[in-house]
Every structure is written in structure tokens, then in C-alpha cells.
Amino acid sequence: VQDDSSTAVPPPLDGSDTGAWANAPFVPMPHYFQGTTPDTAAYKTLWDSNYLYVLVSVQDSTLVAPTSGNIWTGDTVELYFSGTDSKSTTYGPTDFQYAFPYGFPGGGAVVTEADHSPSSLTGVLFGQQNITGGYQMAMALPWTTLGTVPVLNQQYGFDVMIDDANVQGTRLGKL
């Protein structure tokens, strides 16, 4: 974590790019991980002694809430975090894969974490809103849940991915 991304005031978690978010720069997401998608996306991060905060902005002309049966085949934001940045091929106690479905609450899918659930969902905060041409999501992941104490200039593993679908149940691609 870097000093320029620390915040003394928690940012709003309603999906708006306001408050503490306003001065944090967006990081574009130009790389296709799987398939292709016409979507574009960017994210920004902040942190304090309690949370890692992430705001993701997605330009997507066809918004599809995923089903509970397969969260990855709708519009979903995935966050990966490694407290050790070990780049291991298996998940350890401080490695997490979160999935935040578009349309939650109210859609068919719920926020999930692939390896340590349900304890990995303890204290996780989330909000979203539609914006012109897409949506934005804000998340707060508690350092206590991540099993990590943030240390200035410490390197952690972190990744953001966007799953895109134009029809429920069929993923076009992943940024």
C-alpha cells in the first residue's frame, strides 16, 4: 500500500465517485483475460487502518444480473487479494477471490468469496449505482477479514476483473 492512496476519511460506498474517491486516480483495465467484450472499465483504490477500499467503474451498454447458479456468467466484478503476494498456484490463508454481482441486492446472485466463505464475507461492505452507460461498484474489505495488517510500502497481490455478459448465463469475456 502507498501513502498517496491512504485516506483519513472513509470514502462513500454507494458506487459514487465522490468524497475521498474524487482525488484518487482511475487505473484503466485494457487487458482481455478471456474472450472479448466491448466493455471498458477502470478502478481506484484507497486504504486506511480498517479497510481496503475499491471503486470500479464499468461502461457496459447491456447490464445483466447474474443468477445464483453461476455468478461469473453475468456482469460481475471480481477482486483478488493476496496478503503475501506469493503468486502461489493454490490459495493460502490470506488469498481471496471475491465476486460482486451486478444487481445485488435484488438480483439472483449474492456477493461470494471462493475459498474462505462464509468467514471471508465478515464485515465486507458493498454498494453500487447505475451511471450513464454502465455502473459503478464500491467495496470495502476489512483488513481483519483479509488476515493482513496494512503496512506502508508493503507489496500485496491485487487484481480486478470484470465479467461481461449480454445474455444471462453466457459470459462474453473478462477484462
Side-chain angles (χ1 to χ4, degrees):
V1 291
Q2 297 178 348
D3 191 38
D4 62 351
S5 63
S6 68
T7 183
V9 177
L13 296 174
D14 60 0
S16 67
D17 187 17
T18 60
W21 292 120
N23 293 323
F26 269 113
V27 177
M29 299 173 57
H31 176 70
Y32 291 110
F33 179 75
Q34 182 182 57
T36 60
T37 172
D39 292 0
T40 58
Y43 71 92
K44 38 174 92 176
T45 59
L46 294 169
W47 67 280
D48 61 21
S49 60
N50 297 312
Y51 291 96
L52 170 62
Y53 302 101
V54 184
L55 176 70
V56 181
S57 183
V58 180
Q59 290 295 300
D60 182 347
S61 61
T62 306
L63 301 177
V64 177
T67 64
S68 60
N70 195 341
I71 194 170
W72 293 275
T73 60
D75 293 331
T76 301
V77 172
E78 295 183 57
L79 299 180
Y80 298 81
F81 177 84
S82 173
T84 61
D85 195 27
S86 65
K87 297 177 180 57
S88 174
T89 57
T90 59
Y91 278 54
T94 62
D95 299 328
F96 298 86
Q97 177 188 359
Y98 287 93
F100 296 88
Y102 171 77
F104 176 79
V110 298
V111 175
T112 64
E113 194 282 317
D115 253 11
H116 310 288
S117 189
S119 63
S120 57
L121 299 172
T122 302
V124 172
L125 304 173
F126 167 72
Q128 67 180 352
Q129 67 173 257
N130 288 350
I131 59 171
T132 301
Y135 64 95
Q136 289 185 157
M137 292 184 179
M139 304 84 160
L141 306 175
W143 292 111
T144 54
T145 298
L146 296 174
T148 303
V149 175
V151 176
L152 188 61
N153 297 320
Q154 174 66 42
Q155 183 169 321
Y156 303 100
F158 180 73
D159 227 341
V160 179
M161 291 192 182
I162 306 301
D163 298 312
D164 179 41
N166 284 350
V167 175
Q168 195 173 56
T170 305
R171 181 169 57 197
L172 292 174
K174 195 177 216 185
L175 281 175

